[in-house]
C-alpha cells in the first residue's frame, strides 16, 4: 500500500507511491528464447527479423534500466509475421540469478478476468442474471438492492474501495503474511458511505470483485478457487495457472520487489499472503498460459457469443484511450487486463485487428515517475510493432 493519503482515492488495491526508492539492478542477464508448451499456431518460429528484434531488445532494455526494473519477460506473437520472446535482467537482485521465461509470477488484477469468466459462465447456465441486485446473493451491501452484478463487473457500483481504507492499509502492511477473509475485506469498505450512485461513473474497485467471488460461491456451493479451476482453467487447458491457498508460489519464480511498505523502503514481497486480493488479484500464472488466455478471454472461447458481447460492451472510464467492459479493458485497440500486486506486474492483451498477443511479466510494482513499469514496457513495444495501436494505460488498475 502507498502511504500518500491524496493518492489513496484513486488506487484500487494498492496506492501509488509518492517517493520511489531505486533498486540496485545488476546488468541484464542473457536473453533466452521460449519453447511453446501449447498447441502450434501460425506465428513463425524464426522471430520477427533481425532489425525489428534489435529494436525491441533495445526498447525493452532502455525502459528496464530507466525505470529500475530488476527483470522482465516479454512475449509477442504476431500470426503470419513471427514471435518474440525475451527474458532480461535478474530474478533475484541479491544473487544476480537471471530472469528466465519459464517462471511463475503473481498476476494481480488479471485474476479479475478469470473471476468474471466464471461468473459469466453462470450467466450462460441461466443461474444468475447480470442485472440481478447484489442483495439477492450477499446481505449487508450498502445500497445492495440498487447495485447489480453488471455494475460490479463494470466497476460502476459506487461502493467505497476497501483498499482505500487507512485501517486496511495499516493492517496489511503491518503483517503482510496475514490471512484476510472476503467478509473482513468488505468490512473495511462498508464502514464508508458509497461514493456515487450505481452506474453513474467508473471507479476501479476491488470490493466489486470480492462480491462477485462471493456470488459465485453462493450460487455453486463451492470454493471460488475450485470453480475457477473446474469451469475456467481446465476447459482453457491452462496447466500452469492457479488460485493459491496460501503465500506459496511454484518454482521457478523471480523474487518480487515493492516499496509498498510502512517505511517506504524496498522489500521482498515474494511470499506476502495474497488473500487480501482474493477474487480481485490472488492468482499465479506463467508466460505460455497467459499467452493462451489472452486470446481466449478476448474472443470469448469459453462463453456464448451473446454473453461475450455483453462482456465487451466497453464504457468510458474518464481516462482518454481506455474503456472498460465486464472485468476487461480496451487500450489502444488491445483487449485484456493488466495486474499489479506487491512485487509483480503483468500485462496480458490481445489485438483483434492483427490477432496479435502481448504478455509481460515483471518482478516489481515500483512506479517510475507516477507510471506503472509494465505500462512503460507495453507502450515501448507497441509503439514499435503496432504504431496505430499503442497500449497506453493512463492510470494503474491495482
Amino acid at each position: 500500500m502507498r502511504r500518500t493519503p491524496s493518492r489513496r482515492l484513486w488506487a484500487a488495491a494498492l496506492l501509488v507511491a509518492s517517493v520511489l526508492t531505486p533498486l540496485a539492478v545488476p546488468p541484464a542477464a542473457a536473453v533466452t528464447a521460449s519453447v511453446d508448451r501449447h498447441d502450434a499456431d501460425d506465428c513463425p518460429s524464426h522471430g520477427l527479423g533481425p532489425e525489428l528484434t534489435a529494436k525491441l531488445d533495445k526498447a525493452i532494455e532502455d525502459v528496464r534500466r530507466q525505470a529500475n526494473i530488476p527483470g522482465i519477460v516479454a512475449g509477442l506473437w504476431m500470426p503470419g509475421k513471427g514471435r518474440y520472446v525475451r527474458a532480461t535482467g535478474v530474478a533475484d537482485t541479491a544473487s544476480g540469478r537471471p530472469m528466465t521465461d519459464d517462471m511463475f509470477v503473481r498476476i494481480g488484477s488479471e485474476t479479475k478476468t478469470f473471476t468474471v469468466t466464471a461468473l459469466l459462465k453462470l450467466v450462460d447456465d441461466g443461474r444468475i442474471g447480470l442485472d440481478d441486485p447484489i442483495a439477492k446473493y450477499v446481505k449487508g451491501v450498502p445500497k445492495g438492492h440498487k447495485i447489480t452484478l453488471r455494475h460490479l463487473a463494470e466497476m460502476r457500483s459506487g461502493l467505497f474501495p476497501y483498499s482505500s481504507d487507512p485501517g486496511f492499509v495499516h493492517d496489511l502492511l503491518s503483517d503482510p503474511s496475514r490471512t484476510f477473509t472476503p467478509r473482513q475485506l468488505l468490512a473495511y469498505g462498508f464502514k464508508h458511505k458509497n461514493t456515487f450512485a450505481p452506474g453513474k461513473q467508473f471507479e476501479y474497485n476491488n470490493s466489486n470483485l470480492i462480491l462477485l467471488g462471493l456470488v459465485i460461491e453462493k450460487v455453486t456451493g463451492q470454493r471460488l478457487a475450485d470453480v475457477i479451476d473446474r469451469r475456467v482453467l481446465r476447459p482453457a487447458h491452462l496447466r500452469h495457472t492457479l488460485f493459491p491457498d496460501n503465500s506459496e508460489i511454484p518454482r521457478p519464480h523471480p523474487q518480487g520487489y515493492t516499496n509498498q511498505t510502512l517505511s517506504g523502503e524496498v522489500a521482498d514481497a515474494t511470499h506476502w499472503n495474497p488473500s487480501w486480493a482474493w477474487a480481485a488479484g490472488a492468482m499465479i500464472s506463467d508466460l505460455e498460459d497467459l499467452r493462451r488466455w489472452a486470446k481466449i478471454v478476448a474472443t470469448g472461447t469459453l462463453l456464448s457469443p451473446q454473453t461475450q458481447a455483453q462482456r465487451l460492451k466497453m464504457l468510458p472510464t474518464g481516462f482518454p484511450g481506455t474503456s472498460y467492459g465486464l472485468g476487461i479493458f480496451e487500450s489502444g485497440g488491445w483487449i485484456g487486463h493488466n495486474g499489479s500486486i506487491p512485487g509483480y506486474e503483468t500485462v496480458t492483451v490481445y489485438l483483434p485487428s492483427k490477432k496479435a498477443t502481448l504478455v509481460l511479466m515483471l518482478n516489481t510494482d515500483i512506479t517510475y515517475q507516477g507510471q506503472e513499469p509494465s505500462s512503460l514496457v507495453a507502450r515501448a513495444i507497441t509503439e514499435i510493432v503496432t504504431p496505430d495501436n499503442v497500449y497506453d494505460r493512463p492510470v494503474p488498475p491495482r
Side-chain angles (χ1 to χ4, degrees):
M1 312 310 297
R2 306 300 186 191
R3 303 177 67 198
T4 309
S6 64
R7 294 188 178 182
R8 272 202 297 266
L9 298 178
W10 56 269
L14 301 174
L15 310 178
V16 177
S18 58
V19 179
L20 302 180
T21 307
L23 283 171
V25 181
V31 168
T32 61
S34 176
V35 177
D36 294 338
R37 290 194 305 269
H38 292 302
D39 41 333
D41 55 23
D42 58 349
C43 295
S45 59
H46 54 66
L48 294 172
E51 182 177 352
L52 185 54
T53 296
K55 287 183 179 179
L56 289 171
D57 286 346
K58 183 179 185 303
I60 292 172
E61 190 61 15
D62 285 349
V63 173
R64 190 185 75 80
R65 291 182 178 279
Q66 180 183 43
N68 293 311
I69 302 168
I72 298 171
V73 175
L76 175 67
W77 295 267
M78 303 187 74
K81 293 185 177 181
R83 65 188 69 197
Y84 172 93
V85 176
R86 290 292 185 269
T88 182
V90 296
D92 186 334
T93 59
S95 68
R97 176 168 57 95
M99 198 79 162
T100 57
D101 60 30
D102 60 347
M103 291 181 162
F104 290 88
V105 298
R106 300 191 188 279
I107 63 173
S109 286
E110 290 195 28
T111 302
K112 293 176 174 64
T113 61
F114 294 94
T115 298
V116 173
T117 299
L119 182 87
L120 294 178
K121 288 182 76 69
L122 294 177
V123 172
D124 275 343
D125 293 345
R127 302 177 71 181
I128 63 172
L130 283 172
D131 296 313
D132 291 346
I134 185 60
K136 179 178 178 180
Y137 304 98
V138 182
K139 305 303 181 185
V141 180
K143 306 292 185 182
H145 61 293
K146 294 183 178 180
I147 298 171
T148 66
L149 305 188
R150 187 189 303 274
H151 288 143
L152 296 168
E154 290 173 342
M155 301 294 178
R156 293 173 178 268
S157 69
L159 291 169
F160 186 91
Y162 69 84
S163 53
S164 292
D165 176 73
F168 168 75
V169 176
H170 179 271
D171 291 347
L172 173 62
L173 297 187
S174 296
D175 182 12
S177 65
R178 171 178 173 174
T179 298
F180 291 89
T181 68
R183 288 288 187 172
Q184 287 173 336
L185 296 172
L186 292 172
Y188 288 104
F190 290 175
K191 294 186 299 183
H192 303 268
K193 292 182 179 180
N194 290 12
T195 55
F196 53 84
K200 292 299 183 182
Q201 65 187 69
F202 173 90
E203 182 181 34
Y204 196 86
N205 182 350
N206 283 349
S207 297
N208 298 332
L209 269 291
I210 302 301
L211 285 167
L212 293 181
L214 290 176
V215 170
I216 292 169
E217 292 195 334
K218 173 78 171 180
V219 173
T220 64
Q222 300 174 42
R223 295 191 320 146
L224 175 64
D226 294 335
V227 176
I228 288 178
D229 180 66
R230 181 173 59 86
R231 301 295 312 271
V232 181
L233 302 183
R234 294 184 190 181
H237 305 292
L238 303 182
R239 301 182 292 273
H240 294 80
T241 303
L242 64 147
F243 199 120
D245 290 325
N246 49 42
S247 61
E248 294 302 309
I249 179 171
R251 294 182 181 278
H253 62 257
Q255 303 304 111
Y257 300 96
T258 189
N259 63 354
Q260 300 201 66
T261 58
L262 288 176
S263 67
E265 296 298 315
V266 174
D268 185 332
T270 307
H271 294 291
W272 284 18
N273 191 329
S275 65
W276 69 269
W278 196 51
M283 290 179 68
I284 294 168
S285 191
D286 72 353
L287 180 70
E288 286 299 330
D289 269 17
L290 292 178
R291 170 216 176 170
R292 185 179 182 86
W293 180 241
K295 183 176 181 179
I296 289 173
V297 73
T299 60
T301 303
L302 300 182
L303 302 173
S304 69
Q306 296 80 7
T307 299
Q308 179 68 3
Q310 292 291 308
R311 173 177 221 159
L312 295 183
K313 191 178 293 184
M314 301 290 178
L315 297 175
T317 62
F319 305 105
T322 300
S323 54
Y324 205 89
L326 302 178
I328 197 168
F329 68 62
E330 184 273 328
S331 178
W334 293 89
I335 296 173
H337 219 289
N338 65 341
S340 186
I341 193 166
Y344 301 93
E345 287 200 345
T346 53
V347 173
T348 297
V349 288
Y350 180 79
L351 184 61
S353 63
K354 298 185 181 300
K355 298 183 180 180
T357 298
L358 174 65
V359 176
L360 300 176
M361 308 191 311
L362 285 65
N363 61 338
T364 185
D365 67 310
I366 299 175
T367 58
Y368 176 74
Q369 296 183 349
Q371 299 184 74
E372 289 196 320
S374 60
S375 291
L376 295 173
V377 178
R379 185 182 308 134
I381 291 173
T382 56
E383 284 177 343
I384 293 171
V385 296
T386 56
D388 294 330
N389 298 99
V390 176
Y391 177 101
D392 190 20
R393 279 203 57 83
V395 173
R398 300 195 169 201

